Amino acid sequence: MSVFSNKTKQIELTRNRYPDLKKGPYADLTGQDVDYFSNLLPGRVLTDASDLEGSNTDWLGTCRGSSQLLLRPKTTDEVSKILEYCNGRKLAVVPQGGNTGLVGGSVPVFDEIIISTQLMNQIISLDDISGTLECQAGCVLAALDSYVSDSNLTMPLDLGAKGSCHIGGNLSTNAGGVRLLRYGSLHGSVLGLEAVLASGEIIDCKSTLRKDNTGYDLKQLFIGSEGTLGIITAVSILCPQKPKSVSVAFLGCESFETVLSIFKQAKHSLGEILLAFEFMDSASMDTVRDNLNLTSPVSEFPFYVLIETGGSDGKHDEEKLTAFLENQMSSGLISDGTVATESTKIANIWGLRERMAEGLMVDGYNYKYDVSLPLSKFYQLVDDMRDRVGGLATRVVGYGHVGDGNLHLNVTSPQYDEELMSLIEPFIYDWVSKYKGSISAEHGLGFKKRNFIYHSKSKSAVDLMKRMKLLMDPNGILNPYKLLPDN
């Protein structure tokens, strides 16, 4: 259940906030439907409104549905039977993992049945030689990382929501996170998966091979499809070796141009040990300081850089990082900084970055955007947005993954403000499109961004997506009103 579930009754229903949105041609839930699911899943069917509050509301508290039924299957076969029945009855469903999504993709828009993967949390196998992990889709990312750590492995992705998010949801949204710079995207790390189509048909693509060139690579269809083509039930993923030594540097910078110069030098000088390169602006630091009482280990600056390194030889890695930082200090790029090698201090520094979303929510309503941009235009969007919204916003902040060109731009206000929203959208999408960026770098399109897909995809590409959706889910029961634009 969402940590903010006590506020759900104050959150406007999505169908009321968007009155022009009409419910699709789906059946209404009946007592007979509930009886069928109760027989299929004894003790794992929730119908009480209080039990459904958290699952009807997204983590940000910006989208709220009115589902009357939540199902908690434990096996792929149970998911298959659920979908076969729902497809026959034309009952719409929404798959839900940890419900940590930020674009309204994991909660109902109207009264869709929620299919939770919470109980699909079994680890199937781990090959500690190849580094291949097989598990069910409901496994929590942090739990998986802890499990493989015992074999000196690590998960190839790391997110601020790792303590709650499910690996199936990570695949469904093609989550990025802070390790993408080092390990790449899930399109490369995932070796295989299992998914269930709307008809109930089980698609078994659970390969554990790194090389398999036999026909279409079907698993890629489901990665990033946000549950609109099928529900992922199991995954095999390649886990890299866990670094023996990890260090984090937190630096103060006078300009974003300095941030980019440090990044360029870090790629050259740190090379194979560079794990992450993140940035925060001063407004970001103000957010976690004012709203979460966190403190910066360095003095105040317009910008901050977080560099994480990891390798197999602690002495060598430390010497390499020290030499790099001394060079940056002597060149005047860095005015202040600190280095942490002890786990508690590392966690405290990462907390400044990873708790940003939590801090922003304290302001009230959070207009959250996740875009990819050429680094030459990266921070200009933040400046332009500040100029545009002026005093209507509580704050405008920019932070994110410089290492892969992913900016998190956030605007806050005490409550949802129609005038402020009209200044933000579609301006931000037009701006990103103008500079050949993507309107969604890692959060997905979900409900909130679906109608802006043409800012990043051609009409022919979207038309093909629609044909694929029609082929794989002809009744449109899987996560409707998400990812694809309204007709």
Side-chain angles (χ1 to χ4, degrees):
M1 182 175 289
S2 166
V3 294
F4 297 95
S5 62
N6 60 321
K7 300 179 181 179
T8 55
K9 292 182 181 178
Q10 304 169 18
I11 299 169
E12 187 176 12
L13 287 168
T14 302
R15 67 170 186 260
N16 292 339
R17 179 167 288 170
Y18 301 89
D20 293 335
L21 183 67
K22 304 303 179 185
K23 181 180 175 180
Y26 306 114
D28 293 325
L29 189 70
T30 67
Q32 285 183 317
D33 299 325
V34 176
D35 290 342
Y36 172 82
F37 294 123
S38 297
N39 289 328
L40 177 65
L41 310 171
R44 290 178 281 136
V45 174
L46 302 182
T47 57
D48 189 276
S50 60
D51 292 333
L52 289 167
E53 275 188 5
S55 298
N56 264 317
T57 309
D58 74 326
W59 188 82
L60 283 174
T62 58
C63 293
R64 180 178 163 223
S66 52
S67 177
Q68 303 171 61
L69 184 67
L70 185 146
L71 307 176
R72 300 199 295 171
K74 290 183 177 180
T75 67
T76 299
D77 188 56
E78 288 178 343
V79 174
S80 173
K81 290 176 180 176
I82 290 168
L83 289 183
E84 182 179 16
Y85 181 89
C86 289
N87 195 49
R89 282 273 293 120
K90 293 190 177 179
L91 292 165
V93 303
V94 53
Q96 187 175 97
N99 197 16
T100 58
L102 301 174
V103 288
S106 60
V107 293
V109 175
F110 291 96
D111 57 356
E112 300 88 79
I113 295 171
I114 301 169
I115 301 177
S116 170
T117 58
Q118 185 179 20
L119 301 182
M120 301 184 71
N121 56 9
Q122 299 300 303
I123 293 173
I124 300 168
S125 68
L126 174 64
D127 183 338
D128 60 3
I129 298 176
S130 67
T132 303
L133 171 72
E134 292 185 88
C135 64
Q136 287 186 299
C139 291
V140 173
L141 179 59
L144 292 177
D145 198 47
S146 176
Y147 181 82
V148 302
S149 179
D150 292 339
S151 298
N152 293 316
L153 300 170
T154 188
M155 294 297 289
L157 73 161
D158 185 18
L159 314 173
K162 55 182 172 284
S164 304
C165 64
H166 294 186
I167 190 66
N170 298 151
L171 266 64
S172 294
T173 57
N174 189 26
V178 299
R179 292 180 180 171
L180 191 141
L181 174 63
R182 174 78 161 261
Y183 301 126
S185 79
L186 288 172
H187 281 294
S189 299
V190 174
L191 301 177
L193 57 77
E194 178 183 70
V196 183
L197 301 185
S199 64
E201 182 181 358
I202 298 170
I203 304 298
D204 183 355
C205 296
K206 295 198 303 292
S207 172
T208 58
L209 304 173
R210 295 189 69 173
K211 299 178 77 173
D212 178 7
N213 203 17
T214 53
Y216 303 132
D217 192 3
L218 294 177
K219 68 178 182 289
Q220 304 295 354
L221 288 177
F222 299 97
I223 299 173
S225 66
E226 302 185 46
T228 61
L229 299 180
I231 297 180
I232 295 173
T233 54
V235 57
S236 58
I237 189 166
L238 187 64
C239 300
Q241 289 293 308
K242 181 174 69 173
K244 289 183 179 180
S245 66
V246 175
S247 299
V248 166
F250 194 74
L251 317 171
C253 305
E254 294 292 349
S255 68
F256 190 71
E257 288 70 26
T258 301
V259 172
L260 294 182
S261 295
I262 295 172
F263 175 53
K264 182 178 179 180
Q265 291 300 317
K267 288 193 296 179
H268 175 73
S269 300
L270 299 177
E272 78 285 354
I273 67 169
L274 184 60
L275 273 172
F277 193 103
E278 305 284 302
F279 99 100
M280 299 166 54
D281 63 9
S282 58
S284 301
M285 186 63 77
D286 291 344
T287 301
V288 293
R289 182 193 62 209
D290 298 345
N291 293 348
L292 301 179
N293 296 316
L294 301 184
T295 56
S296 170
V298 300
S299 52
E300 292 189 11
F301 285 90
F303 295 92
Y304 304 88
V305 164
L306 189 161
I307 298 174
E308 183 171 74
T309 62
S312 59
D313 185 333
K315 185 174 183 294
H316 165 269
D317 299 343
E318 186 176 340
E319 289 175 351
K320 201 166 190 177
L321 179 60
T322 299
F324 165 74
L325 293 175
E326 288 177 348
N327 179 267
Q328 301 306 299
M329 291 283 282
S330 62
S331 66
L333 290 177
I334 301 173
S335 303
D336 191 11
T338 186
V339 176
T341 57
E342 193 268 322
S343 59
T344 300
K345 292 181 179 179
I346 289 175
N348 288 339
I349 291 176
W350 268 113
L352 296 170
R353 167 65 181 82
E354 292 187 329
R355 295 185 65 189
M356 190 63 58
E358 178 187 349
L360 288 163
M361 290 182 67
V362 177
D363 282 351
Y365 193 91
N366 186 189
Y367 312 79
K368 184 173 286 291
Y369 300 92
D370 152 62
V371 301
S372 288
L373 283 167
L375 290 176
S376 61
K377 300 295 181 182
F378 203 71
Y379 197 74
Q380 183 183 331
L381 174 58
V382 184
D383 287 333
D384 287 356
M385 185 62 75
R386 283 200 184 107
D387 291 341
R388 183 171 174 83
V389 301
L392 278 178
T394 301
R395 66 179 99 225
V396 178
V397 309
Y399 61 94
H401 319 298
V402 174
D404 54 46
N406 181 185
L407 170 69
H408 294 305
L409 172 62
N410 291 259
V411 182
T412 65
S413 62
Q415 57 274 323
Y416 179 77
D417 187 317
E418 214 42 88
E419 182 183 0
L420 179 55
M421 176 59 97
S422 69
L423 288 173
I424 299 171
E425 296 183 8
F427 168 79
I428 186 169
Y429 301 123
D430 293 339
W431 199 102
V432 170
S433 179
K434 175 182 177 182
Y435 292 107
K436 310 299 183 185
S438 170
I439 65 167
S440 176
E442 62 182 4
H443 293 167
L445 293 169
F447 170 75
K448 293 181 179 179
K449 298 182 180 181
R450 71 198 189 286
N451 286 328
F452 297 101
I453 190 173
Y454 292 108
H455 285 71
S456 295
K457 289 288 186 288
S458 66
K459 182 179 183 301
S460 59
V462 176
D463 286 346
L464 181 57
M465 292 180 197
K466 290 181 177 180
R467 295 201 297 273
M468 291 167 57
K469 169 71 170 175
L470 186 62
L471 173 68
M472 300 174 71
D473 179 18
N475 291 325
I477 67 164
L478 290 173
N479 219 8
Y481 326 106
K482 314 289 174 57
L483 193 143
L484 292 173
D486 296 338
N487 289 325

